[in-house]
Amino acid sequence: MVNLKQQYLKIKDEINFEIDSVLESSQFIKGQKVSEFESQLGEYLNVKHVISCGNGTDALMISLMALNLKPNDEVICPSFSFISSAEVIALLGFRPVFVDVDYENFNVTAQNIIQAISNKTRAIIPVHLFGQGAEMESIMEVASDYNLAVVEDNAQSLGAEYTFKDNTTKFLGTIGDIGCTSFFPTKNLACYGDGGAMFTNDDYLAERLRLIANHGMKQKYRNECIGVNSRLDTLQAGVLKVKLKYLDKYIAERRKVAEFYNKELEDIKQIIVPKQQCHSTHTYNQYTIKVLNGKRDNLKQYLSENGVPSQVYYPIPLHKQQAFSSLARSGNEMTNAERLCGEVLSLPMHTELSVEQLQYIVSQIKTFFQ
């Protein structure tokens, strides 16, 4: 699905230099490279504050902690997603409220959010799935109307831009009150381990996020609030400093792969290729097709037998996961989420795919449907 070694070999000298310099300095925790990376990512995203942390799940958890919610307050999130966004809601003693997603773009809609709002609703976590954004302009209008906080889960869409009705643009993750991302090794901007970050233009929230991520301390041994220990280590910051320079190039290469897939697969009647939304660019963290007529699992098995990896993101909607059976409620019917879980299939997508590899992948898919 990814080829991290080949990507590394292309930037090996730069990566090794950064790692060696950390080893020489022995500043493994809160080294200078961490603040340098935060500053550089903030400049890239045109956002005032970037606060790094241990991973993307921590970023979501710390963000919710910064909002001063109360036990049993409700937070709306999509049912078709990875578990992290809902998991942290429940972990903190809040109640996840699941909503359906749009069938075409996999993302939560403002209308589904409105249907799920109750007098206990305090926040929304829109997840920008697979590389492009939810309809953030409408979602922010709903949040304003109902006085709700918005925490964007941008773990899969860092570098994607959102276009508003007045033609202004912002990067996803910088539109809500707080944005969160992950630097997991398979992400578009990835480290060689775990890492994450939070973004905000709000000075008060930025201070809260930094405080909570560091045991609730500004000064050592003076704890102002209950916090956690979540930090990006200096080695990973060094890796990310290098890769940030190549992020636009990586995204462009992924888009070329997507164009190839689209052209080769769009005429297969039993496949629906990803639809590009007019309001958001796409980073293609995943290239996810829909396989119709119950053929998804058979296609996946066939590809595996012929040396082509593929993945199902995600096989079970969150509202049907046992972990949430007594902790969550559903805000509307999950027709699309349940249908998507039986149809989606993600194909290999990374920056090192060759033309020959892509031709082989699509030839196997076409053979299956002959």
Side-chain angles (χ1 to χ4, degrees), residues 76-78 98-103 105-118 121 124-128 133-146 148 150 162 165 279 331-332 336:
I76 294 172
C77 60
F98 294 121
V99 294
D100 204 7
V101 296
D102 182 88
Y103 180 74
N105 65 28
F106 312 109
N107 282 319
V108 67
T109 67
Q111 185 57 44
N112 284 343
I113 289 170
I114 291 173
Q115 294 173 2
I117 292 172
S118 76
T121 306
I124 308 164
I125 302 182
V127 180
H128 304 312
E135 49 182 54
M136 283 303 297
E137 187 164 14
S138 299
I139 290 172
M140 293 305 294
E141 289 170 357
V142 172
S144 177
D145 290 344
Y146 290 90
L148 305 176
V150 176
Y162 187 94
K165 294 173 185 175
H279 61 252
N332 39 52
N336 293 334

Side-chain angles (χ1 to χ4, degrees), residues 299-317:
L299 173 60
K300 187 177 188 306
Q301 181 177 347
Y302 178 83
L303 291 175
S304 178
E305 290 170 352
N306 288 276
V308 178
S310 62
Q311 292 289 338
V312 176
Y313 307 111
Y314 301 94
I316 305 172

Side-chain angles (χ1 to χ4, degrees), residues 240-258:
L240 290 165
K241 279 183 60 186
V242 174
K243 286 193 167 187
L244 180 58
K245 296 186 295 184
Y246 296 97
L247 178 57
D248 288 341
K249 180 176 181 289
Y250 291 159
I251 292 172
E253 289 171 347
R254 286 172 176 267
R255 287 172 178 160
K256 288 181 182 178
V257 172

